[in-house]
Amino acid sequence: MRTQIGIVGAGPAGLLLSHLLHLQGIESVIIEARSRKYIEERIRAGVLEQGTVDMLVESGVGERLKREGLVHHGIELRFNRRGHRINMYELTGGKAITIYAQHEVVKDLVSARLAAGGQIVFEAGDVSVHGFDSSTPAIRFQSGGKTQELACDFIAGCDGFHGVCRPSIPVGVLTEFDRTYPFAWLGVLAQVPPSSNELVYSYHERGFALLSMRTPEIGRLYIQVGPDEDIHNWPDDKIWRELQARLAAEGDWKLTEGPILQKGITPMRSFVVEPMQFGKLYLAGDAAHIVPATGAKGLNLAAADVRILSQAFAEFYSSGKTQLLDQYSQTCLRRVWKAQRFSWWMTSMLHRFDTDSPFDQRRQVAELDYLAGSRAAMTSLAENYVGLPWD
Ligand code: FAD
Ligand code: PHB
């Protein structure tokens, strides 16, 4: 087998990269460890920045997103049992976010790639990457009971945080920047119309809670829990009790409960590797960086990386120039670090830390209070939340 770009991983990064390359006339093959069903059902992120939405629509995979996505012009910050709306649309000159589940983006991209004759190898075993420091890069894997090799010009490592590409780079090349947080998120998908039209981020003395949604019928809710919490200690009624306590508000607002369809625990972590490239291997998305989910940036950063990578490959194949490829890591990292800063800031402001002193708690509330009353502070949050400009 031979192609121009060998892509490891059919998450949002790998699929979108393959799609964008196809639009530029560049061939790619995706090697994915899991089945199509698995990747199309995996519940993850749900908030798309304005720029991500525009990119999906402009590249021809936004039809269902435009039809089914929920466009939100604001979010609510809740503390001391009071809600404060941040009108992002007005503060950013007309930008919004769209609620559309990550696995729906994945479904749309898989069907677009397959309809265009694109090749995705699902359920590949023992995937490994070779020769990326030479002129003959290759991806080796098991498929159909046989060992196969995909020869390519470049490899795109889009295989997520636990993939094989990043660890294949020789020791000493990459510098890792890492922060773990002393908490995780317990997330549920619930069969109940969301109790608010917009997302509610709530700071509470029992810990952070988030009310989000997937559709007008399905809610997505999260609570801060301990970092090693076992999901078996969280029967559904205990989750609802905690959500009721942490989201409680003055007035007649009520959190409506419903059957929990799915639940899981996600660790919170900040992680970056520099550089995001070695030889002919380019890392994109979670393979290169992780953000805590509070800023809703993970999926959007993956999309931003592959936008830049596809442009760099396009320049190379059309002119032979490697300038954009050479700058790939540096270009991505500027955005990555701004998203890291924002995600860390949202996380620090809204969660309870074990080490919090009464001073820290007062300071957190003062920060939220300042934010809720300052147009300048709200504008800063809004422009980061809807997504910073590309350049
Ligand atoms: P991934 O989506 O991880 O895709 C990588 C792909 O590579 C996967 O399909 C995987 O199966 C495949 N792969 C892995 N190893 C190999 C291998 N060896 N060979 C071949 N293929 C391989 N972000 C938010 O903003 N909000 C959220 O609520 C949120 N929740 C999350 C919950 C979980 C459990 C996780 C893990 C992440 C969550 N994120 C969330 C982050 C967001 O989903 C990611 O940033 C996003 O998926 C990144 O896309 P990606 O394509 O880079 O990586
Ligand atoms: C989600 O809907 O899954 C979601 C929303 C906002 C976040 C994180 C996750 O900050």
Side-chain angles (χ1 to χ4, degrees):
M1 275 169 95
R2 182 164 176 94
T3 191
Q4 290 175 296
I5 314 295
I7 301 175
V8 186
L15 288 163
L16 183 58
L17 176 63
S18 181
H19 173 66
L20 295 174
L21 290 174
H22 166 70
L23 297 181
Q24 309 260 16
I26 301 167
E27 270 180 29
S28 64
V29 173
I30 306 180
I31 310 297
E32 165 61 48
R34 303 288 193 155
S35 67
R36 179 173 179 182
K37 182 171 174 1
Y38 183 92
I39 65 161
E40 291 188 345
E41 290 178 359
R42 185 166 43 190
I43 306 292
R44 285 190 169 179
V47 175
L48 303 184
E49 292 176 354
Q50 182 73 58
T52 307
V53 171
D54 294 345
M55 189 185 351
L56 293 169
V57 171
E58 281 160 20
S59 70
V61 285
E63 199 193 309
R64 202 160 63 91
L65 161 64
K66 273 199 296 189
R67 212 172 48 236
E68 296 175 16
L70 308 173
V71 177
H72 286 193
H73 288 178
I75 56 168
E76 181 182 324
L77 294 180
R78 199 173 279 184
F79 58 97
N80 290 343
R81 300 172 69 90
R82 288 227 177 95
H84 305 266
R85 179 165 192 260
I86 299 197
N87 186 338
M88 299 185 300
Y89 189 77
E90 196 231 330
L91 292 164
T92 60
K95 291 188 185 167
I97 52 148
T98 300
I99 305 292
Y100 188 67
Q102 177 168 328
H103 67 276
E104 303 296 350
V105 175
V106 165
K107 275 189 214 163
D108 296 343
L109 286 166
V110 168
S111 76
R113 284 312 296 123
L114 297 179
Q119 207 182 335
I120 308 173
V121 177
F122 291 106
E123 298 180 77
D126 291 337
V127 179
S128 56
V129 287
H130 306 271
F132 45 85
D133 49 354
S134 74
S135 55
T136 54
I139 305 172
R140 225 168 277 153
F141 56 97
Q142 300 280 335
S143 181
K146 286 191 297 228
T147 301
Q148 314 236 21
E149 189 165 293
L150 174 68
C152 46
D153 301 334
F154 299 95
I155 299 174
C158 302
D159 50 348
F161 186 64
H162 300 288
V164 291
C165 290
R166 191 181 68 250
S168 302
I169 294 175
V171 175
V173 171
L174 302 179
T175 305
E176 296 187 355
F177 301 85
D178 202 358
R179 169 151 303 181
T180 52
Y181 298 87
F183 42 76
W185 278 16
L186 189 163
V188 300
L189 204 60
Q191 195 170 357
V192 59
S195 301
S196 162
N197 291 329
E198 294 179 337
L199 271 61
V200 179
Y201 287 81
S202 183
Y203 173 87
H204 191 272
E205 63 249 25
R206 298 182 65 83
F208 170 72
L210 170 63
L211 184 154
S212 180
M213 62 212 65
R214 285 295 175 267
T215 67
E217 294 82 37
I218 303 284
R220 176 82 170 142
L221 300 111
Y222 297 94
I223 46 174
Q224 171 186 355
V225 295
D228 304 313
E229 199 67 56
D230 182 349
I231 194 71
H232 297 108
N233 294 333
W234 287 89
D236 295 359
D237 62 326
K238 183 172 166 192
I239 296 173
W240 282 117
R241 243 183 297 138
E242 208 53 46
L243 283 164
Q244 291 288 4
R246 297 186 193 187
L247 288 165
E250 278 178 0
D252 53 11
W253 185 84
K254 278 217 165 34
L255 175 65
T256 312
E257 300 184 10
I260 289 183
L261 305 170
Q262 217 222 48
K263 54 186 166 185
I265 291 183
T266 307
M268 291 285 122
R269 183 166 199 172
S270 304
F271 175 86
V272 183
V273 285
E274 292 187 8
M276 289 169 54
Q277 172 247 342
F278 176 70
K280 294 191 164 159
L281 172 59
Y282 291 81
L283 302 175
D286 277 18
H289 41 71
I290 299 278
V291 281
T294 330
K297 289 280 164 262
L299 166 61
N300 295 293
L301 270 186
D305 287 353
V306 299
R307 177 178 172 275
I308 291 165
L309 190 53
S310 68
Q311 288 170 348
F313 284 137
E315 183 196 57
F316 174 77
Y317 284 111
S318 64
S319 71
K321 288 196 198 133
T322 61
Q323 195 187 345
L324 293 182
L325 281 172
D326 296 342
Q327 290 168 354
Y328 168 72
S329 177
Q330 207 187 331
T331 309
C332 289
L333 284 166
R334 282 186 67 205
R335 185 181 192 83
V336 166
W337 275 110
K338 285 179 199 155
Q340 288 289 355
R341 182 207 68 83
F342 177 68
S343 304
W344 164 85
W345 172 71
M346 287 281 280
T347 304
S348 311
M349 177 171 67
L350 287 161
H351 289 76
R352 291 297 301 266
F353 288 71
D354 306 340
T355 50
D356 278 357
S357 63
F359 179 90
D360 290 311
Q361 289 158 21
R362 295 282 199 285
R363 180 186 51 73
Q364 277 177 312
V365 172
E367 179 147 20
L368 286 160
D369 201 13
Y370 166 63
L371 188 52
S374 158
R375 189 177 171 89
M378 280 192 278
T379 304
S380 170
L381 188 154
E383 67 185 11
N384 280 278
Y385 198 87
V386 299
L388 294 172
W390 292 126
D391 303 305

